[in-house]
Amino acid sequence: MSLRVFILAGEPSGDRLGAALMEGLKTLAPDVSFEGIGGTLMAEQGLQSRFPMDELSVMGLAEVLPKYRHLKRRIRETADAVIAMRPDVLITIDSPDFSLRVARLVKQGSDIRTVHYVAPSVWAWRPGRAQKMATCIDHVLALLPFEPPYMESAGMDCDFVGHPVVAEPKATAEEIAALRQTCDLGDAPILLALPGSRRSEVGRLAPVFGAALRDFAAAYPEYRIVVPTAGPVAELVRQHAKDWPQGTVLLDPTGLDPAVAEARKRAAFAAADLALAASGTVSLELAAARTPMVIAYRFQWLTWQIMKRMALIDTVTLVNLVSETRVVPECLGPDCTPSRIAGALADVRANPEAQQEAMGLTMERLGEGGEAPGLRAARAVLARLQ
């Protein structure tokens, strides 16, 4: 039996998820065809994108306003294409500002089955999003093991399919040795500094991180600080890092082959003894490398006030949530100060083993050692279709 799939992603992380899902579908249903929107990785799996995925990368807050009319046209155009194709399933991946608007229009004009990959974090705040999503989504593919009950209570099918971090390659001993040699790190202990991948994050966090790192380095001068950066913020990080402790190493991916840059980043994560990171999924990358961490984040004042009132959880770190522990220290909002961060780093340095069990449990619960998430996601899609 042939299978016709319309699949769409709006950003690089969704492109990776989409490519793995497409590969899984081709494995389980060889007579499958795809239409939709995606990036280079989905193109490698055979998708001819209806328009460049980059057009959707502005979906967000202030950035969307100048592009609103164009994006609204793309939403309508995409929904019309889905309805005209009459696929067996529409799969939307993350990017809810675009994806769910398309799914809503498709449901208004057809009975096409809709699947959304990546559940909204209703367990953290705004639980009403699940009920709203259920008006246009039939089936959710969840990355976190505790998410299905939230989606199912709103009336949607939901399957936990594993987090993509568990399928990422591991750094080899040779790659770690090459990084140490190339960056002249010798046998020194390494402290990773990860002040974010967006300019707004780096602008808020880099000065605080720098002051905290100077305090830490004054007490523990044997540590070398390594800063893996994302290309779009590399120059901004470089400007801030001029005031960081002497010998700080910046890993700038600009001009490198993406595979080489990613391998170097993996080696840095694996080589590190300790990490200071902005809040986000980077905590899972560190957990995969078994690198003990401190999480810090400074919010805009109004954002922090709203979050305090609306938050349903007492931690923002996924390692803490998935492992059901609170072993990863957090310096958030008004607690994101150099002295608190430096103190937390010193505490983790003194007892790095405290996080190891929680990191291992997190990876196990996210699917490490099991079937690849893309294949699990494909299996879930097909099972619900049948």
Side-chain angles (χ1 to χ4, degrees):
M1 185 186 77
S2 63
L3 177 68
R4 302 171 72 236
V5 176
F6 197 105
I7 186 168
L8 64 90
E11 55 192 353
S13 60
D15 185 40
R16 287 193 294 274
L17 288 171
L21 173 55
M22 290 172 69
E23 184 177 17
L25 286 170
K26 289 194 295 184
T27 299
L28 299 175
D31 193 12
V32 60
S33 61
F34 300 100
E35 287 191 32
I37 300 147
T40 55
L41 297 177
M42 290 167 71
E44 290 173 5
Q45 293 297 326
L47 181 71
Q48 191 166 11
S49 188
R50 297 184 66 87
F51 55 82
M53 186 186 74
D54 293 350
E55 290 188 21
L56 306 180
S57 63
V58 296
M59 296 301 287
L61 299 174
E63 297 91 341
V64 77
L65 295 177
K67 305 273 188 178
Y68 178 73
R69 287 186 179 179
H70 176 70
L71 290 166
K72 194 172 180 181
R73 279 198 304 272
R74 286 301 199 197
I75 290 167
R76 178 79 259 182
E77 171 191 321
T78 303
D80 288 344
V82 177
I83 294 170
M85 178 190 175
R86 296 291 306 174
D88 297 292
V89 62
L90 163 65
I91 302 174
T92 58
I93 305 171
D94 212 357
S95 303
D97 289 333
F98 182 78
S99 294
L100 299 184
R101 283 179 169 86
V102 170
R104 191 159 287 114
L105 290 174
V106 168
K107 278 299 188 186
Q108 289 170 4
S110 75
D111 60 354
I112 294 167
R113 183 167 177 79
T114 53
V115 176
H116 189 67
Y117 198 172
V118 183
S121 52
V122 298
W123 38 268
W125 69 308
R126 287 174 58 199
R129 285 177 294 170
Q131 281 73 25
K132 187 176 180 182
M133 187 171 156
T135 63
C136 61
I137 295 297
D138 300 308
H139 181 196
V140 179
L141 304 174
L143 303 187
L144 302 174
F146 52 77
E147 291 178 322
Y150 293 93
M151 302 296 107
E152 289 165 350
S153 67
M156 294 173 281
D157 295 330
C158 187
D159 292 294
F160 166 62
V161 297
H163 196 285
V165 72
V166 304
E168 292 295 320
K170 305 290 187 187
T172 65
E174 291 77 15
E175 288 172 333
I176 295 170
L179 174 78
R180 283 189 171 276
Q181 182 175 12
T182 303
C183 298
D184 194 25
L185 297 169
D187 295 325
I190 293 173
L191 167 57
L192 283 189
L194 300 152
S197 58
R198 300 180 181 90
R199 293 187 66 85
S200 57
E201 287 178 331
V202 173
R204 285 197 303 273
L205 294 177
V208 185
F209 276 31
L213 293 170
R214 288 194 294 273
D215 288 351
F216 181 83
Y220 307 103
E222 69 274 17
Y223 276 77
R224 293 289 302 278
I225 295 163
V226 175
V227 192
T229 69
V233 298
E235 187 53 38
L236 181 59
V237 173
R238 189 185 306 279
Q239 292 301 316
H240 283 287
K242 289 178 180 177
D243 297 326
W244 290 12
Q246 188 173 5
T248 293
V249 174
L250 186 72
L251 300 182
D252 183 351
T254 306
L256 294 178
D257 179 274
V260 172
E262 194 62 30
R264 190 172 66 165
K265 176 186 168 183
R266 284 197 305 270
F269 276 53
D273 300 275
L274 184 61
L276 168 61
S279 174
T281 55
V282 69
S283 71
L284 296 181
E285 296 179 69
L286 291 166
R290 306 303 195 265
T291 303
M293 69 197 84
V294 171
I295 298 298
Y297 207 83
R298 177 172 283 183
F299 302 88
Q300 292 181 347
W301 183 85
L302 181 59
T303 301
W304 176 249
Q305 298 305 313
I306 293 170
M307 281 185 62
K308 279 198 305 182
R309 286 161 177 76
M310 296 181 68
L312 305 175
I313 51 177
D314 64 347
T315 177
V316 301
T317 303
L318 286 170
V319 173
N320 286 342
L321 286 164
V322 176
S323 67
E324 299 177 280
T325 67
R326 297 297 182 264
V327 295
V328 176
E330 297 175 328
C331 301
L332 307 176
D335 289 332
C336 185
T337 64
S339 60
R340 286 186 180 271
I341 294 170
L345 286 170
D347 290 343
V348 174
R349 174 197 171 275
N351 186 20
E353 297 82 10
Q355 294 184 27
Q356 291 300 328
E357 184 177 351
M359 291 190 290
L361 182 59
T362 296
M363 290 300 106
E364 178 186 329
R365 289 180 173 177
L366 293 182
E368 188 175 69
E371 193 171 58
L375 189 59
R376 289 180 66 173
R379 202 180 299 284
V381 170
L382 294 174
R384 299 282 188 178
L385 277 177
Q386 292 165 3

